[in-house]
Amino acid sequence: MPLSPPDTTASLLDWACWYATQGWPVIPSHTPIAKGCTCPEGAVCKHPGKHPRVSWNDASTNQATITDWWKRWPEANIQLMTGQTFCVLDIDFR
């Protein structure tokens, strides 16, 4: 297991694979674009880049699976499955 993450110039695939080596299941998500999102809702998407391209049930640490995903969607955002190996607290200030 690599001790240090890739450098800031590494590809999204490199980062997704590194997260997986840490035991953190990853999933590709849609990407925000100038006209909204890469999802089918496109310009009317209310959450550009913040929802998965595949089922959450498919979150994986398998390097071959992750490589296949990022070859298909090289600009996919990376989402990490929480609740198994770590939790996240998101505080929104209003």
Side-chain angles (χ1 to χ4, degrees):
M1 177 179 327
L3 297 177
S4 58
D7 68 46
T8 57
T9 62
S11 70
L12 291 166
L13 171 59
D14 290 340
W15 278 97
C17 287
W18 182 80
Y19 290 133
T21 66
Q22 305 309 298
W24 302 342
V26 301
I27 197 164
S29 68
H30 285 280
T31 309
I33 56 176
K35 294 183 179 181
C37 186
T38 58
C39 75
E41 293 183 12
V44 297
C45 178
K46 293 181 181 176
H47 304 287
K50 295 187 177 187
H51 46 280
R53 291 177 180 264
V54 299
S55 170
W56 279 108
N57 295 328
D58 295 331
S60 182
T61 58
N62 181 284
Q63 298 288 318
T65 299
I66 293 165
T67 299
D68 287 345
W69 284 336
W70 267 269
K71 282 185 177 179
R72 184 172 178 189
W73 305 297
E75 299 301 318
N77 278 340
I78 301 168
Q79 292 186 341
L80 302 175
M81 178 66 85
T82 60
Q84 294 176 342
T85 55
F86 63 92
C87 295
V88 173
L89 175 61
D90 181 16
I91 301 172
D92 294 320
F93 293 97
R94 305 247 181 239

XYZ file of all heavy atoms in Angstrom:
741
model
N 0.848 -1.176 0.000
C 0.000 0.000 0.000
C 0.895 1.241 0.000
O 1.685 1.426 0.907
C -0.907 -0.039 1.240
C -1.769 1.167 1.384
S -2.898 1.187 2.813
C -3.361 -0.457 3.077
N 0.774 2.108 -1.034
C 1.590 3.325 -1.064
C 1.299 4.214 0.145
O 0.152 4.365 0.544
C 1.154 4.013 -2.358
C 0.485 2.965 -3.174
C -0.072 1.973 -2.203
N 2.348 4.758 0.730
C 2.170 5.604 1.900
C 1.774 7.023 1.545
O 1.100 7.689 2.312
C 3.458 5.617 2.734
C 3.858 4.268 3.320
C 5.187 4.397 4.055
C 2.785 3.753 4.256
N 2.215 7.491 0.408
C 1.899 8.874 0.049
C 1.055 8.895 -1.222
O 1.213 8.041 -2.100
C 3.167 9.692 -0.135
O 3.979 9.123 -1.128
N 0.164 9.861 -1.329
C -0.692 9.951 -2.516
C 0.086 10.430 -3.736
O 1.200 10.934 -3.607
C -1.739 10.981 -2.101
C -1.083 11.790 -1.043
C -0.123 10.878 -0.349
N -0.515 10.285 -4.924
C 0.125 10.817 -6.131
C 0.306 12.334 -6.013
O -0.335 12.981 -5.183
C -0.872 10.497 -7.241
C -1.793 9.476 -6.677
C -1.797 9.675 -5.199
N 1.145 12.893 -6.858
C 1.310 14.349 -6.814
C 0.096 15.032 -7.457
O -0.752 14.378 -8.052
C 2.631 14.788 -7.454
C 2.684 14.556 -8.949
O 1.715 14.885 -9.648
O 3.718 14.061 -9.432
N 0.058 16.330 -7.320
C -1.122 17.092 -7.767
C -1.309 17.098 -9.278
O -2.368 17.474 -9.754
C -1.052 18.546 -7.265
O 0.167 19.132 -7.737
C -1.109 18.597 -5.751
N -0.311 16.657 -10.032
C -0.458 16.603 -11.486
C -0.914 15.219 -11.975
O -1.088 15.015 -13.158
C 0.869 16.962 -12.188
O 1.861 16.003 -11.820
C 1.320 18.376 -11.802
N -1.120 14.286 -11.047
C -1.524 12.928 -11.414
C -2.926 12.935 -12.027
O -3.744 13.815 -11.743
C -1.477 12.021 -10.196
N -3.201 11.931 -12.826
C -4.510 11.819 -13.469
C -5.580 11.401 -12.454
O -5.270 10.890 -11.372
C -4.452 10.781 -14.582
O -4.306 9.477 -14.032
N -6.825 11.607 -12.842
C -7.934 11.160 -12.002
C -7.878 9.643 -11.813
O -8.185 9.137 -10.727
C -9.264 11.593 -12.607
C -9.512 13.107 -12.565
C -10.664 13.493 -13.480
C -9.790 13.563 -11.142
N -7.482 8.927 -12.848
C -7.325 7.478 -12.729
C -6.284 7.131 -11.674
O -6.515 6.254 -10.828
C -6.937 6.854 -14.075
C -6.534 5.377 -14.038
C -7.655 4.504 -13.503
C -6.090 4.918 -15.422
N -5.142 7.814 -11.689
C -4.105 7.550 -10.688
C -4.634 7.780 -9.281
O -4.385 6.988 -8.375
C -2.879 8.439 -10.916
C -2.095 8.058 -12.155
O -2.239 6.919 -12.631
O -1.339 8.926 -12.650
N -5.380 8.857 -9.099
C -5.946 9.148 -7.781
C -6.982 8.112 -7.384
O -6.995 7.626 -6.247
C -6.547 10.556 -7.751
C -5.511 11.597 -7.509
C -4.877 12.358 -8.447
C -4.960 11.966 -6.247
N -3.966 13.188 -7.841
C -4.002 12.976 -6.495
C -5.176 11.565 -4.948
C -3.263 13.562 -5.474
C -4.444 12.156 -3.923
C -3.497 13.144 -4.194
N -7.858 7.738 -8.310
C -8.878 6.735 -8.000
C -8.213 5.412 -7.594
O -8.628 4.781 -6.612
C -9.808 6.539 -9.188
N -7.179 5.023 -8.313
C -6.463 3.788 -7.979
C -5.772 3.901 -6.629
O -5.753 2.945 -5.841
C -5.463 3.432 -9.080
S -6.251 2.811 -10.581
N -5.208 5.050 -6.334
C -4.550 5.229 -5.034
C -5.560 5.126 -3.901
O -5.313 4.458 -2.898
C -3.804 6.566 -4.965
C -3.101 6.720 -3.637
C -1.904 6.167 -3.287
C -3.577 7.431 -2.503
N -1.607 6.512 -1.981
C -2.613 7.279 -1.482
C -4.715 8.185 -2.242
C -2.769 7.854 -0.218
C -4.866 8.753 -0.983
C -3.895 8.583 0.015
N -6.713 5.792 -4.048
C -7.754 5.677 -3.019
C -8.114 4.213 -2.798
O -8.279 3.762 -1.665
C -9.007 6.459 -3.410
C -8.850 7.955 -3.376
C -9.304 8.736 -4.432
C -8.275 8.604 -2.296
C -9.176 10.119 -4.408
C -8.137 9.981 -2.259
C -8.595 10.739 -3.322
O -8.468 12.098 -3.294
N -8.248 3.462 -3.890
C -8.596 2.043 -3.787
C -7.526 1.258 -3.024
O -7.851 0.365 -2.246
C -8.820 1.452 -5.172
N -6.248 1.606 -3.227
C -5.183 0.898 -2.494
C -5.251 1.179 -1.003
O -4.709 0.413 -0.202
C -3.763 1.252 -3.007
O -3.479 2.620 -2.732
C -3.607 0.920 -4.478
N -5.921 2.257 -0.630
C -6.092 2.570 0.782
C -7.277 1.805 1.391
O -7.579 1.926 2.565
C -6.310 4.083 0.979
C -5.234 4.964 0.373
C -3.829 4.549 0.776
O -3.477 4.567 1.952
N -3.032 4.149 -0.190
N -7.964 1.043 0.524
C -9.130 0.286 0.984
C -10.420 1.079 0.896
O -11.433 0.670 1.458
N -10.391 2.206 0.183
C -11.563 3.067 0.059
C -12.257 2.789 -1.267
O -11.726 3.135 -2.329
C -11.160 4.533 0.121
C -10.422 4.931 1.368
C -10.367 4.256 2.551
C -9.627 6.095 1.544
N -9.583 4.930 3.447
C -9.115 6.068 2.853
C -9.286 7.156 0.717
C -8.300 7.063 3.363
C -8.474 8.156 1.222
C -7.993 8.110 2.530
N -13.440 2.175 -1.268
C -14.152 1.919 -2.521
C -14.467 3.223 -3.257
O -14.901 4.210 -2.643
C -15.440 1.222 -2.073
C -15.114 0.656 -0.725
C -14.146 1.638 -0.110
N -14.212 3.240 -4.553
C -14.444 4.429 -5.376
C -15.529 4.164 -6.411
O -15.847 3.017 -6.721
C -13.154 4.915 -6.085
C -12.081 5.253 -5.082
C -12.651 3.896 -7.078
N -16.047 5.248 -6.921
C -17.063 5.190 -7.959
C -16.904 6.425 -8.839
O -16.571 7.506 -8.338
C -18.465 5.105 -7.316
C -19.485 4.636 -8.327
C -18.876 6.385 -6.671
C -20.765 4.167 -7.699
N -17.081 6.297 -10.157
C -16.995 7.473 -11.025
C -18.301 8.260 -10.989
O -19.385 7.674 -10.973
C -16.767 6.864 -12.422
C -17.444 5.529 -12.356
C -17.292 5.066 -10.936
N -18.185 9.558 -10.940
C -19.396 10.373 -10.984
C -19.396 11.238 -12.245
O -18.385 11.360 -12.928
C -19.524 11.247 -9.737
O -18.540 12.233 -9.705
N -20.539 11.806 -12.514
C -20.646 12.691 -13.667
C -19.750 13.903 -13.473
O -19.257 14.170 -12.374
C -22.104 13.094 -13.892
C -22.894 11.992 -14.495
N -22.863 11.695 -15.830
C -23.714 11.077 -13.923
C -23.641 10.665 -16.075
N -24.163 10.256 -14.930
N -19.551 14.640 -14.549
C -18.621 15.761 -14.556
C -19.369 17.057 -14.844
O -20.197 17.104 -15.758
C -17.559 15.534 -15.660
O -17.010 14.222 -15.488
C -16.467 16.572 -15.607
N -19.094 18.115 -14.065
C -19.696 19.400 -14.409
C -19.062 19.936 -15.691
O -17.854 19.799 -15.898
C -19.376 20.294 -13.211
C -18.267 19.631 -12.494
C -18.268 18.181 -12.876
N -19.872 20.488 -16.548
C -19.398 21.082 -17.800
C -20.009 22.469 -17.936
O -20.893 22.841 -17.162
C -19.743 20.197 -19.018
C -21.244 19.922 -19.095
C -18.953 18.896 -18.981
C -21.695 19.139 -20.323
N -19.558 23.225 -18.907
C -20.021 24.609 -19.085
C -21.544 24.696 -19.184
O -22.145 25.642 -18.702
C -19.373 25.230 -20.311
N -22.152 23.702 -19.799
C -23.600 23.728 -19.975
C -24.312 22.790 -19.010
O -25.313 22.181 -19.352
C -23.960 23.382 -21.409
C -23.473 24.427 -22.394
C -23.895 24.091 -23.799
C -23.405 25.178 -24.752
N -23.800 24.932 -26.124
N -23.786 22.642 -17.794
C -24.462 21.836 -16.789
C -23.676 20.622 -16.348
O -22.711 20.718 -15.624
N -24.116 19.443 -16.822
C -23.563 18.189 -16.336
C -23.518 17.178 -17.473
O -24.269 17.288 -18.449
C -24.459 17.671 -15.203
S -23.845 16.202 -14.366
N -22.652 16.177 -17.326
C -22.580 15.117 -18.325
C -23.703 14.093 -18.178
O -23.819 13.194 -19.001
C -21.224 14.381 -18.258
O -21.055 13.854 -16.940
C -20.079 15.304 -18.635
N -24.536 14.235 -17.169
C -25.650 13.300 -16.973
C -26.751 13.580 -18.000
O -26.728 14.612 -18.679
C -26.207 13.419 -15.562
S -27.208 14.890 -15.250
N -27.724 12.693 -18.110
C -28.813 12.899 -19.074
C -29.606 14.196 -18.868
O -30.202 14.711 -19.806
C -29.713 11.678 -18.883
C -28.785 10.613 -18.388
C -27.799 11.361 -17.519
N -29.598 14.750 -17.654
C -30.320 16.004 -17.405
C -29.588 17.213 -17.960
O -30.179 18.280 -18.129
C -30.590 16.170 -15.912
C -31.562 15.132 -15.377
C -31.881 15.328 -13.918
O -31.536 16.391 -13.348
O -32.482 14.415 -13.339
N -28.291 17.071 -18.218
C -27.501 18.115 -18.851
C -27.624 19.495 -18.234
O -27.293 19.708 -17.080
N -28.139 20.438 -19.007
C -28.214 21.844 -18.593
C -29.159 22.084 -17.424
O -29.019 23.073 -16.719
C -28.628 22.712 -19.776
N -30.101 21.195 -17.188
C -31.055 21.409 -16.088
C -30.700 20.603 -14.839
O -31.442 20.614 -13.863
C -32.514 21.105 -16.530
C -32.949 22.056 -17.627
C -32.674 19.659 -16.947
N -29.552 19.942 -14.853
C -29.113 19.160 -13.691
C -28.943 20.094 -12.492
O -28.286 21.129 -12.586
C -27.803 18.443 -13.995
S -27.158 17.507 -12.596
N -29.518 19.703 -11.375
C -29.440 20.525 -10.157
C -28.179 20.261 -9.343
O -27.876 21.003 -8.430
C -30.677 20.291 -9.306
C -31.932 20.804 -9.972
C -33.151 20.599 -9.111
C -34.372 21.111 -9.872
N -35.596 20.871 -9.148
N -27.443 19.182 -9.676
C -26.241 18.829 -8.919
C -25.123 18.375 -9.854
O -24.669 17.229 -9.790
C -26.565 17.731 -7.906
C -27.674 18.073 -6.979
N -27.534 18.984 -5.957
C -28.969 17.659 -6.948
C -28.681 19.095 -5.326
N -29.568 18.314 -5.908
N -24.651 19.275 -10.739
C -23.623 18.878 -11.705
C -22.384 18.261 -11.045
O -21.822 18.828 -10.112
C -23.266 20.178 -12.413
C -24.434 21.075 -12.192
C -25.005 20.691 -10.857
N -22.016 17.095 -11.538
C -20.805 16.442 -11.066
C -20.897 15.794 -9.699
O -19.891 15.339 -9.168
N -22.090 15.727 -9.126
C -22.201 15.220 -7.760
C -23.043 13.960 -7.650
O -23.526 13.625 -6.580
C -22.767 16.308 -6.850
C -21.839 17.491 -6.731
C -22.320 18.474 -5.720
C -21.318 19.610 -5.596
N -21.639 20.516 -4.518
N -23.201 13.240 -8.745
C -23.943 11.982 -8.693
C -23.237 10.939 -9.548
O -22.566 11.256 -10.517
C -25.418 12.168 -9.086
C -25.620 13.003 -10.305
N -25.574 14.380 -10.283
C -25.840 12.663 -11.582
C -25.774 14.843 -11.504
N -25.933 13.823 -12.304
N -23.377 9.668 -9.149
C -22.592 8.608 -9.781
C -23.025 8.243 -11.192
O -24.180 8.404 -11.564
C -22.789 7.420 -8.831
C -24.067 7.693 -8.134
C -24.203 9.185 -8.045
N -22.055 7.747 -11.949
C -22.314 7.242 -13.306
C -22.778 5.791 -13.266
O -23.355 5.304 -14.230
C -21.051 7.338 -14.158
C -20.664 8.761 -14.486
C -19.356 8.761 -15.281
N -18.932 10.092 -15.622
C -19.182 10.691 -16.778
N -19.874 10.069 -17.707
N -18.747 11.909 -17.017
N -22.464 5.091 -12.209
C -22.870 3.695 -12.019
C -23.529 3.579 -10.650
O -23.498 4.518 -9.858
C -21.664 2.727 -12.142
C -21.032 2.807 -13.529
C -20.622 2.998 -11.076
N -24.092 2.430 -10.353
C -24.767 2.223 -9.068
C -23.792 2.293 -7.898
O -22.649 1.832 -8.001
C -25.445 0.847 -9.083
O -25.902 0.509 -7.789
N -24.255 2.843 -6.778
C -23.437 2.858 -5.563
C -23.054 1.442 -5.160
O -22.012 1.225 -4.546
C -24.183 3.538 -4.414
C -24.103 5.012 -4.478
C -25.103 5.881 -4.813
C -22.952 5.825 -4.224
N -24.634 7.175 -4.792
C -23.322 7.165 -4.418
C -21.640 5.539 -3.850
C -22.435 8.220 -4.256
C -20.748 6.596 -3.679
C -21.160 7.910 -3.882
N -23.891 0.480 -5.510
C -23.596 -0.920 -5.190
C -22.352 -1.421 -5.915
O -21.805 -2.460 -5.552
C -24.785 -1.815 -5.545
C -25.994 -1.515 -4.701
O -25.876 -1.129 -3.540
N -27.164 -1.672 -5.274
N -21.922 -0.710 -6.942
C -20.753 -1.114 -7.725
C -19.454 -0.488 -7.235
O -18.394 -0.733 -7.833
C -20.961 -0.760 -9.203
C -22.091 -1.548 -9.831
O -22.346 -2.680 -9.384
O -22.730 -1.027 -10.763
N -19.501 0.315 -6.179
C -18.271 0.928 -5.657
C -17.222 -0.161 -5.472
O -17.525 -1.264 -5.014
C -18.553 1.637 -4.334
N -15.978 0.148 -5.851
C -14.979 -0.912 -5.926
C -13.586 -0.446 -5.535
O -13.243 0.730 -5.681
C -14.940 -1.438 -7.365
O -14.028 -2.490 -7.496
N -12.800 -1.407 -5.079
C -11.367 -1.197 -4.887
C -10.587 -2.018 -5.919
O -9.358 -2.044 -5.883
C -10.918 -1.615 -3.468
O -11.261 -2.990 -3.262
C -11.560 -0.736 -2.402
N -11.277 -2.666 -6.830
C -10.650 -3.493 -7.855
C -9.999 -2.607 -8.918
O -10.682 -1.850 -9.609
C -11.702 -4.420 -8.480
C -11.115 -5.318 -9.534
O -10.839 -4.872 -10.655
N -10.930 -6.581 -9.199
N -8.684 -2.734 -9.064
C -7.933 -1.868 -9.973
C -8.392 -2.001 -11.426
O -8.455 -1.012 -12.149
C -6.436 -2.173 -9.874
C -5.844 -1.917 -8.498
C -5.722 -0.450 -8.157
O -5.325 0.365 -8.980
N -6.044 -0.095 -6.924
N -8.719 -3.219 -11.859
C -9.166 -3.424 -13.244
C -10.501 -2.725 -13.491
O -10.691 -2.074 -14.529
C -9.271 -4.915 -13.562
N -11.407 -2.838 -12.552
C -12.712 -2.172 -12.673
C -12.536 -0.662 -12.736
O -13.111 0.015 -13.591
C -13.616 -2.555 -11.480
O -13.827 -3.966 -11.496
C -14.942 -1.822 -11.528
N -11.729 -0.136 -11.846
C -11.492 1.308 -11.783
C -10.827 1.793 -13.069
O -11.223 2.820 -13.631
C -10.648 1.652 -10.539
C -11.477 1.360 -9.278
C -10.164 3.099 -10.573
C -10.674 1.319 -8.008
N -9.851 1.054 -13.555
C -9.185 1.422 -14.802
C -10.176 1.437 -15.956
O -10.172 2.368 -16.779
C -8.009 0.466 -15.087
O -7.067 0.577 -14.010
C -7.333 0.798 -16.403
N -11.030 0.430 -16.036
C -12.053 0.393 -17.092
C -12.959 1.616 -17.017
O -13.261 2.236 -18.034
C -12.903 -0.876 -16.998
C -12.157 -2.122 -17.436
O -11.087 -1.997 -18.074
O -12.648 -3.226 -17.130
N -13.400 1.984 -15.803
C -14.268 3.155 -15.650
C -13.585 4.418 -16.148
O -14.166 5.196 -16.889
C -14.670 3.340 -14.194
C -15.716 2.404 -13.682
C -16.656 1.728 -14.402
C -15.938 2.068 -12.314
N -17.445 0.995 -13.565
C -17.031 1.178 -12.276
C -15.334 2.430 -11.114
C -17.539 0.648 -11.086
C -15.833 1.898 -9.932
C -16.911 1.023 -9.924
N -12.337 4.646 -15.717
C -11.679 5.911 -16.087
C -11.167 5.919 -17.525
O -10.953 6.975 -18.091
C -10.622 6.311 -15.061
C -11.267 7.215 -14.045
C -11.322 8.582 -14.107
C -12.011 6.840 -12.890
N -12.057 9.069 -13.047
C -12.489 8.017 -12.281
C -12.329 5.625 -12.300
C -13.252 8.016 -11.120
C -13.089 5.627 -11.147
C -13.532 6.809 -10.570
N -11.032 4.765 -18.135
C -10.763 4.744 -19.578
C -12.027 5.149 -20.328
O -11.957 5.836 -21.343
C -10.299 3.359 -20.032
C -8.853 3.095 -19.693
C -8.399 1.773 -20.256
C -6.918 1.565 -19.955
N -6.446 0.273 -20.465
N -13.171 4.734 -19.818
C -14.447 5.095 -20.445
C -14.803 6.562 -20.180
O -15.318 7.235 -21.065
C -15.542 4.180 -19.889
C -16.881 4.399 -20.525
C -17.867 3.357 -20.092
N -19.161 3.616 -20.696
C -20.255 2.980 -20.385
N -20.239 2.017 -19.492
N -21.387 3.283 -20.968
N -14.558 7.037 -18.957
C -14.897 8.413 -18.567
C -13.665 9.063 -17.924
O -13.609 9.240 -16.703
C -16.047 8.416 -17.558
C -17.277 7.705 -18.007
C -18.074 8.028 -19.077
C -17.894 6.566 -17.396
N -19.133 7.160 -19.157
C -19.047 6.245 -18.138
C -17.577 5.763 -16.292
C -19.885 5.180 -17.820
C -18.410 4.708 -15.976
C -19.540 4.417 -16.729
N -12.668 9.466 -18.703
C -11.408 9.976 -18.126
C -11.561 11.249 -17.291
O -10.714 11.525 -16.453
C -10.518 10.212 -19.347
C -11.427 10.240 -20.518
C -12.631 9.431 -20.163
N -12.624 11.987 -17.492
C -12.839 13.210 -16.716
C -13.828 13.015 -15.568
O -14.267 13.988 -14.944
C -13.326 14.337 -17.639
C -12.338 14.701 -18.736
C -10.997 15.151 -18.189
O -10.959 15.897 -17.202
O -9.965 14.740 -18.762
N -14.181 11.766 -15.282
C -15.140 11.501 -14.203
C -14.607 12.003 -12.868
O -13.427 11.823 -12.554
C -15.434 10.008 -14.118
N -15.474 12.632 -12.108
C -15.127 12.972 -10.736
C -14.998 11.676 -9.950
O -15.559 10.650 -10.321
C -16.207 13.844 -10.101
C -16.070 15.297 -10.470
O -15.027 15.751 -10.879
N -17.150 16.037 -10.324
N -14.279 11.737 -8.857
C -14.090 10.567 -8.002
C -14.978 10.718 -6.774
O -14.922 11.738 -6.090
C -12.624 10.435 -7.551
C -11.701 10.315 -8.758
C -12.455 9.263 -6.597
C -10.227 10.476 -8.418
N -15.769 9.701 -6.521
C -16.545 9.660 -5.289
C -16.059 8.475 -4.477
O -15.722 7.428 -5.027
C -18.040 9.532 -5.572
C -18.603 10.788 -6.212
C -20.114 10.739 -6.357
O -20.733 9.688 -6.309
N -20.711 11.898 -6.524
N -16.016 8.659 -3.169
C -15.591 7.596 -2.267
C -16.790 7.109 -1.475
O -17.599 7.915 -1.005
C -14.517 8.110 -1.303
C -13.259 8.680 -1.948
C -12.350 9.260 -0.876
C -12.533 7.623 -2.749
N -16.899 5.800 -1.339
C -17.968 5.202 -0.551
C -17.653 5.420 0.923
O -16.591 5.028 1.400
C -18.072 3.711 -0.862
C -19.128 3.013 -0.050
S -20.792 3.566 -0.435
C -21.154 2.531 -1.825
N -18.533 6.084 1.614
C -18.328 6.327 3.039
C -19.208 5.383 3.854
O -20.088 4.718 3.327
C -18.653 7.792 3.394
O -20.024 8.047 3.070
C -17.756 8.754 2.656
N -18.959 5.351 5.144
C -19.757 4.537 6.030
C -19.196 3.150 6.269
O -19.687 2.422 7.119
N -18.164 2.764 5.501
C -17.542 1.458 5.702
C -16.158 1.607 6.323
O -15.849 0.961 7.306
C -17.420 0.712 4.368
C -18.763 0.350 3.778
C -18.620 -0.290 2.408
O -17.591 -0.190 1.751
N -19.668 -0.953 1.968
N -15.343 2.440 5.710
C -13.975 2.609 6.217
C -13.766 3.979 6.861
O -12.817 4.157 7.600
C -12.939 2.422 5.089
O -13.241 3.315 4.019
C -12.966 0.994 4.569
N -14.622 4.932 6.544
C -14.553 6.244 7.168
C -15.889 6.953 6.972
O -16.705 6.543 6.153
C -13.389 7.095 6.626
C -13.491 7.431 5.163
C -14.097 8.600 4.751
C -12.961 6.585 4.198
C -14.179 8.915 3.398
C -13.033 6.884 2.859
C -13.658 8.057 2.458
N -16.104 7.996 7.748
C -17.324 8.798 7.632
C -16.946 10.228 7.309
O -15.805 10.645 7.500
C -18.111 8.770 8.946
S -18.735 7.124 9.339
N -17.919 10.991 6.835
C -17.696 12.376 6.461
C -18.728 13.246 7.172
O -19.912 12.886 7.223
C -17.834 12.560 4.923
C -17.760 14.021 4.548
C -16.779 11.755 4.199
N -18.284 14.357 7.667
C -19.190 15.347 8.235
C -19.128 16.565 7.326
O -18.061 17.160 7.161
C -18.757 15.721 9.652
C -19.554 16.833 10.332
C -21.014 16.434 10.480
C -18.934 17.157 11.680
N -20.238 16.913 6.732
C -20.307 18.045 5.794
C -21.131 19.141 6.455
O -22.322 18.958 6.690
C -20.947 17.580 4.482
C -21.030 18.683 3.444
O -20.349 19.719 3.590
O -21.795 18.514 2.482
N -20.497 20.243 6.727
C -21.188 21.362 7.369
C -21.362 22.473 6.359
O -20.388 22.986 5.819
C -20.400 21.877 8.597
C -20.236 20.729 9.618
C -21.092 23.084 9.200
C -19.330 21.069 10.765
N -22.598 22.829 6.092
C -22.903 23.925 5.180
C -23.302 25.145 5.985
O -24.263 25.103 6.746
C -24.065 23.548 4.233
C -23.679 22.428 3.286
O -22.535 22.449 2.813
O -24.514 21.552 3.036
N -22.555 26.217 5.819
C -22.889 27.457 6.495
C -23.866 28.224 5.636
O -23.667 28.379 4.435
C -21.622 28.296 6.736
C -20.691 27.658 7.713
C -19.607 26.902 7.279
C -20.903 27.776 9.070
C -18.744 26.301 8.171
C -20.053 27.168 9.977
C -18.983 26.431 9.524
N -24.919 28.685 6.199
C -25.954 29.404 5.460
C -25.865 30.885 5.771
O -25.593 31.330 6.807
C -27.320 28.880 5.813
C -27.424 27.388 5.596
C -28.362 27.058 4.475
N -28.442 25.610 4.334
C -28.122 24.968 3.237
N -27.714 25.620 2.191
N -28.233 23.681 3.141
